[in-house]
Amino acid sequence: MLHIETPLLRSTPLSTPDRTVWLKLENTQPSGSFKMRGMGRAVEKAVERGAERIVSSSGGNAGLAVACASRALGVACTIVVPSRTPVAMREKIAAEGVEVLVHGTIWDDAHEKACSLSGTLIHPFDHPDVWQGHATLIDEVAPVLKPDHVVLSVGGGGLMIGVLMGMARHGWGDVPLTTIETHGADSFAQAVEAGQLVTLPGIDSIALTLGARRVADEALMWAMRHDIRPLRVTDRAAVEACSRFLDDHRMLVEPACGAALAPLYAGELMGDVLVIVCGGASATREQLEGWEQAVDA
Ligand SMILES: *Cc1c(COP(=O)(O)O)cnc(C)c1O
């Protein structure tokens, strides 16, 4: 197993008399995010099927998880990232001993390039192996807690699909799922409203990790068979949630994760609320200051 079993923490600062918030701390995964679960599983499966080189495209966390998994399994690996991926993140990926290529400005550009390379392509969110890996996080919660709500952020929808698969197999089919995106990266909310997949013209949010212009088909399929409540938050609310979470829990997460915490800081949702603290490896003190300045500008 390449990922670890993560802590499930009852949050005192976020809980109120009407609400108990449970944090599933995926930020403590070896690669800094839940991606270790799904990408780890996908790389493992690819190697079992005889892959000699792994190729992946990623704005960051998926690439880092694929790199970690490839190194652990001793398989060659190339990660293609867009130029908007911070240099520090590229360096983190390269430090796993894999090849890093920069192509285009957003994830879609990098993904197109990755598709043209030889090797076994690992998709960052749209593959059953990835979903199966993410689903294991619910396996860890289910023996302890059946919540009244689950909250998570959505980029391409891989985390959401995996969590819904885990919820289904543990009899949580009646537990509503609140999905969070930032304005400007709301490809899932728009798809649900339109009743069909929507391709955004571009990504206009600092939560780069949520910047998939189009979600996986399967994400929309789930919206038809589960009580899913898409919510949008501002970049400012996502960044403020990062700052408050740092003070409250002494853990630094990126805006893609702060987005999922934002409705809780806004006082929304009652009962037992399970929040997937998805993490993010690109968060540093300096980055947080940069994000704070960006949303104040
Ligand atoms: C990848 C990622 C997301 C979005 O996950 P999807 O599977 O693309 O929906 C959210 N937060 C963080 C920190 C991530 O790394």
Side-chain angles (χ1 to χ4, degrees):
M1 206 166 78
L2 299 166
H3 65 267
I4 63 164
E5 182 169 338
T6 56
L8 178 67
L9 192 74
R10 184 189 173 285
S11 171
T12 301
L14 279 164
S15 297
T16 65
D18 300 324
R19 176 176 87 183
T20 303
V21 173
W22 299 88
L23 305 169
K24 183 61 173 159
L25 294 175
E26 290 301 299
N27 56 318
T28 64
Q29 288 292 350
S31 71
S33 77
F34 71 92
K35 293 274 181 5
M36 204 58 225
R37 294 180 189 269
M39 310 322 289
R41 183 167 183 122
V43 173
E44 237 165 21
K45 291 279 171 195
V47 170
E48 273 172 35
R49 293 178 196 125
E52 285 176 357
R53 172 169 289 274
I54 301 293
V55 178
S56 192
S57 57
S58 166
N61 295 320
L64 182 58
V66 168
C68 285
S70 298
R71 168 145 96 175
L73 297 172
V75 62
C77 172
T78 301
I79 307 289
V80 188
V81 303
S83 62
R84 283 174 83 174
T85 298
V87 171
M89 188 65 181
R90 295 180 210 170
E91 286 172 352
K92 264 190 185 134
I93 297 173
E96 295 295 328
V98 306
E99 182 185 26
V100 179
L101 301 180
V102 181
H103 188 86
T105 52
I106 62 169
W107 175 77
D108 301 71
D109 303 329
H111 187 65
E112 205 171 299
K113 174 74 177 172
C115 290
S116 74
L117 299 175
S118 65
T120 302
L121 184 71
I122 305 282
H123 194 286
F125 59 80
D126 199 0
H127 195 279
D129 291 339
V130 172
W131 306 333
Q132 288 292 349
H134 294 338
T136 59
L137 81 86
I138 297 299
D139 297 340
E140 293 168 17
V141 179
V144 183
L145 169 78
K146 182 180 177 184
D148 298 306
H149 292 276
V150 177
V151 181
L152 49 74
S153 60
V154 173
L159 174 62
M160 169 193 146
I161 296 163
V163 162
L164 283 162
M165 285 167 56
M167 289 171 69
R169 73 178 172 227
H170 289 285
W172 295 14
D174 57 339
V175 178
L177 176 72
T178 297
T179 61
I180 319 289
E181 292 167 294
T182 47
H183 293 276
D186 56 346
S187 44
F188 178 64
Q190 287 202 25
V192 171
E193 284 159 9
Q196 60 182 49
L197 289 178
V198 170
T199 303
L200 303 180
I203 298 300
D204 184 18
S205 168
I206 59 170
L208 292 182
T209 318
L210 303 184
R213 288 170 55 216
R214 187 182 174 95
V215 296
D217 283 279
E218 189 69 10
L220 189 59
M221 299 294 285
W222 271 104
M224 291 163 195
R225 54 184 187 240
H226 194 101
D227 179 0
I228 298 179
R229 305 171 184 184
L231 214 69
R232 296 174 177 90
V233 301
T234 60
D235 276 357
R236 175 188 291 271
V239 171
E240 277 174 8
C242 293
S243 302
R244 293 183 67 177
F245 191 68
L246 176 59
D247 287 344
D248 285 344
H249 285 284
R250 304 156 316 278
M251 289 187 280
L252 182 54
V253 296
E254 62 181 58
C257 178
L261 297 163
L264 297 162
Y265 280 114
E268 289 168 39
L269 301 171
M270 298 297 143
D272 281 307
V273 182
L274 173 67
V275 186
I276 312 305
V277 182
C278 46
S282 76
T284 61
R285 274 177 305 154
E286 202 184 330
Q287 267 287 2
L288 180 59
E289 277 171 26
W291 292 322
E292 283 169 337
Q293 281 162 10
V295 296
D296 277 340

